[in-house]
Amino acid sequence: MNIDKEQIVDNNKQLLSEHQSNIDFLSSKLANKGLDVDEIICRIEDFQVAIPSWALGAGGTRFGRFSIGGEPGSLEEKIEDIGVIHALTRTAGAVSLHIPWDIPSDINAIKELASLHSIAFDAVNSNTFQDQVGQAYSYKYGSLCNVHQQSRDLAIQHNLDVIKLGDQLGSKALTVWLADGASFPGQNNFRKALHNTQDSLQQIYSAIPDDWKLLIEYKPYEPNFYSTVIQDWGTSLMLAEGCGEKAHTLVDLGHHLPNTNIEQIVSTLLTKGRLGGFHFNDSKYGDDDLTCGSIKPYQLFLIFNELVWGMDQNDAGNPPLSWMIDASHNVKDPIEDLMQSLEAINMAYAQALLVDQKALAHAQADSDVSLCQEILQEAYRTDVRPLLTAARIKAGGAIDPIGIYRELGVRQNLIKQRGQNTVATGL
Ligand code: RM4
Ligand code: MN
Ligand code: MN
């Protein structure tokens, strides 16, 4: 379903005067603090987050899956759904494909469709955590780490195929997430598994084009429950360094044990120039894939505070990051959920842009701990939503994306077009 620009403009009219008074109030408050409001709005407008091709359908758990109706049945329909999100929010100008869930049948046609919606192709994701029908050698006991060379070779070849496909689409990064590990003590020889993984990654790395990044995810557990080969950022960094300068660590917010200090990991990786990308979601227990900012918004702000400061300094020459939402939608309409995540991400980013870094550096130098906290919380406690709205209006988006999505009955229309029981590829 295409959303007409006129429909957005019309809907915005009813909300414009309230927005105007909100932004006037905030702008004068920020200007008094010496902040350049227009520049902040431009930076928010420029910030684009990719939507993964598997996020437009209902997510499932091992206990079941409940359809939401009108789910996209093809890659084309997925791109149309991202088109809706981008038209309303103007912050989701990219798609991240998961291969083989979403292999385009006609590369040129899919590129055309994506550009019609102003959507670029961000990182491509390989999948060696599931066997495909008729696969000659299994990944049941691991892919890049497997004790059998045939399974490793298959997984390496799959990654090379994904790079080739991504290259044709204009992607500039390959994301590798491995389920490899062991569910029981003694199942794997740790050193051999790590050695095989490094060796396989090096072979994949040798096919990474010069202007690409290889992004290596880590995760402490699941689907294996005793050990994961790339269990943490340190292992990922070590493997990335073992590949070469185009290899980087990717931080997925859900891939940490409870209470891990993720903002410190971000800072350390930026110090090394090895932070390659981000998968946004939120969690209370593990890899819960919940809506961004729904559980720990302050953590998200602290992470963005490190990102903004780190990327502004960038003394280690860290490349621009790949941003993606990596969430699951078990009970909510995925389009609404993704728009909520985008809003939360942008809020944390905007709040981080407000942090008085000079004052913070002085307070740190004076060991004035209370003042340090005051400075951070002053930014965090600012209601930055008018800045986000201003950025959306400037880019042609909606003042109230979810409101207009409901008013236009987008989901009902999708159900009419696609049916109640369509199932999207993905988890
Ligand atoms: C994993 C990981 C990957 C994602 C898969 C579907 O836990 O987060 O990034 O591609 O899930
Ligand atoms: Mn991820
Ligand atoms: Mn995950």
Side-chain angles (χ1 to χ4, degrees):
M1 185 182 160
N2 284 333
I3 294 193
D4 202 341
K5 278 195 182 125
E6 287 309 304
Q7 290 173 309
I8 297 178
V9 172
D10 266 3
N11 191 277
N12 281 355
K13 270 184 200 148
Q14 312 157 34
L15 305 165
L16 213 54
S17 76
E18 194 192 334
H19 163 68
Q20 203 52 55
S21 57
N22 290 343
I23 190 73
D24 288 347
F25 173 75
L26 181 59
S27 296
S28 71
K29 194 178 151 193
L30 297 179
N32 281 341
K33 291 185 180 173
L35 286 155
D36 184 339
V37 177
D38 289 335
E39 198 215 313
I40 293 173
I41 292 173
C42 282
R43 286 182 75 171
I44 298 169
E45 193 187 342
D46 287 347
F47 192 74
Q48 299 292 316
V49 182
I51 305 293
S53 59
W54 66 94
L56 287 314
T61 70
R62 67 199 170 97
F63 297 104
R65 183 180 185 282
F66 302 94
S67 175
I68 38 124
E71 288 184 36
S74 64
L75 178 55
E76 285 75 10
E77 290 182 348
K78 290 179 177 186
I79 291 191
E80 280 163 20
D81 286 6
I82 300 173
V84 169
I85 298 172
H86 192 43
L88 296 177
T89 64
R90 305 307 299 172
T91 59
V95 57
S96 189
L97 293 192
H98 211 299
I99 308 299
W101 290 338
D102 289 297
I103 301 177
S105 50
D106 180 339
I107 301 265
N108 287 332
I110 210 76
K111 280 170 89 169
E112 231 169 80
L113 179 68
S115 85
L116 208 69
H117 292 284
S118 311
I119 290 167
F121 289 89
D122 209 303
V124 274
N125 303 263
S126 59
N127 175 342
T128 59
F129 49 88
Q130 292 170 325
D131 283 349
Q132 303 306 315
V133 183
Q135 187 172 310
Y137 301 98
S138 177
Y139 299 143
K140 182 172 176 183
Y141 301 110
S143 59
L144 298 186
C145 82
N146 202 298
V147 287
H148 298 293
Q149 177 151 8
Q150 290 100 323
S151 291
R152 293 204 299 276
D153 285 348
L154 206 66
I156 292 165
Q157 187 56 48
H158 167 68
N159 278 279
L160 302 187
D161 295 342
V162 174
I163 295 171
K164 219 182 256 167
L165 182 72
D167 206 27
Q168 291 171 295
L169 291 165
S171 293
K172 294 287 173 214
L174 167 72
T175 301
V176 174
W177 172 68
L178 302 175
D180 295 12
S183 271
F184 298 95
Q187 182 184 331
N188 268 355
N189 177 304
F190 292 136
R191 286 179 60 173
K192 282 185 190 162
L194 189 60
H195 173 86
N196 284 344
T197 303
Q198 177 77 82
D199 184 71
S200 305
L201 283 170
Q202 278 164 352
Q203 293 186 55
I204 295 166
Y205 183 81
S206 65
I208 291 285
D210 281 345
D211 58 345
W212 274 50
K213 290 179 294 189
L214 170 63
L215 305 174
I216 304 171
E217 274 190 83
Y218 57 91
K219 181 170 173 171
Y221 74 98
E222 200 207 15
N224 283 291
F225 292 111
Y226 168 63
S227 81
T228 300
V229 178
I230 312 180
Q231 60 162 332
D232 58 13
W233 68 273
T235 312
S236 163
L237 176 64
M238 191 174 79
L239 292 166
E241 286 179 338
C243 285
E245 58 186 20
K246 291 175 280 176
H248 300 271
T249 296
L250 185 144
V251 175
D252 181 317
L253 294 181
H255 292 191
H256 303 88
L257 296 173
N259 306 325
T260 300
N261 190 332
I262 304 175
E263 54 270 28
Q264 189 175 6
I265 295 173
V266 166
S267 163
T268 306
L269 289 169
L270 284 173
T271 305
K272 288 276 175 192
R274 290 280 181 171
L275 181 60
F278 239 89
H279 282 181
F280 292 109
N281 48 54
D282 210 341
S283 66
K284 186 153 177 71
Y285 302 106
D287 196 18
D288 306 328
D289 283 346
L290 301 176
T291 321
C292 240
S294 63
I295 307 283
K296 297 176 212 143
Y298 191 51
Q299 173 185 267
L300 191 61
F301 158 74
L302 293 173
I303 290 168
F304 265 102
N305 180 45
E306 294 304 329
L307 285 167
V308 165
W309 189 79
M311 288 308 278
D312 282 350
Q313 304 287 308
N314 206 8
D315 37 359
N318 202 90
L321 272 74
S322 303
W323 312 103
M324 191 193 90
I325 295 179
D326 192 2
S328 188
H329 318 279
N330 299 337
V331 291
K332 275 199 264 173
D333 177 330
I335 294 182
E336 291 190 356
D337 186 69
L338 288 161
M339 292 197 289
Q340 289 179 323
S341 274
L342 289 165
E343 174 91 355
I345 294 165
N346 273 295
M347 273 174 65
Y349 178 45
Q351 288 161 338
L353 291 174
L354 303 188
V355 173
D356 188 341
Q357 295 292 349
K358 263 197 205 141
L360 182 59
H362 281 304
Q364 287 167 345
D366 293 344
S367 299
D368 189 340
V369 185
S370 299
L371 185 57
C372 292
Q373 182 178 329
E374 284 295 306
I375 291 164
L376 286 184
Q377 291 187 341
E378 171 65 19
Y380 176 68
R381 289 172 177 165
T382 307
D383 182 356
V384 292
R385 288 174 298 173
L387 296 171
L388 274 52
T389 308
R392 277 201 301 276
I393 295 175
K394 213 170 143 234
I399 292 182
D400 177 12
I402 293 187
I404 178 170
Y405 174 80
R406 290 188 169 198
E407 211 173 290
L408 296 176
V410 179
R411 179 56 61 190
Q412 288 84 338
N413 274 315
L414 293 175
I415 291 174
K416 243 185 255 158
Q417 269 172 34
R418 301 172 181 167
Q420 182 65 50
N421 297 314
T422 48
V423 175
T425 47
L427 283 177

